[in-house]
Amino acid sequence: MLVDPRGEVELTDARDVDPAGKRGMLMLGAAGWTLFALVGGWRGHVSRARGRAATAPPVVI
């Protein structure tokens, strides 16, 4: 909830808000990041299975 103490911003009626559009963007973004993670994991798995070294040195903590 946003508060405008000076009353300078005109409020929009809740019926004019487009939640379906925002929800669609959220779903598409989640699907895209999931796809990136799966492809990246598969690529790393295949590289290790073929015996290739990682492109970056391992991080030692």
Side-chain angles (χ1 to χ4, degrees):
M1 180 173 181
L2 299 176
V3 177
D4 183 19
R6 295 183 188 154
E8 296 175 355
V9 178
E10 185 178 333
L11 297 177
T12 303
D13 191 15
R15 291 178 294 211
D16 296 336
V17 178
D18 182 21
K22 300 288 184 184
R23 189 177 311 127
M25 289 173 49
L26 176 66
M27 297 299 286
L28 185 62
W33 279 109
T34 301
L35 180 66
F36 287 151
L38 291 173
V39 168
W42 180 253
R43 184 172 180 236
H45 168 72
V46 170
S47 293
R48 285 189 303 275
R50 291 182 180 168
R52 284 189 266 171
T55 56
V59 177
V60 178
I61 298 175

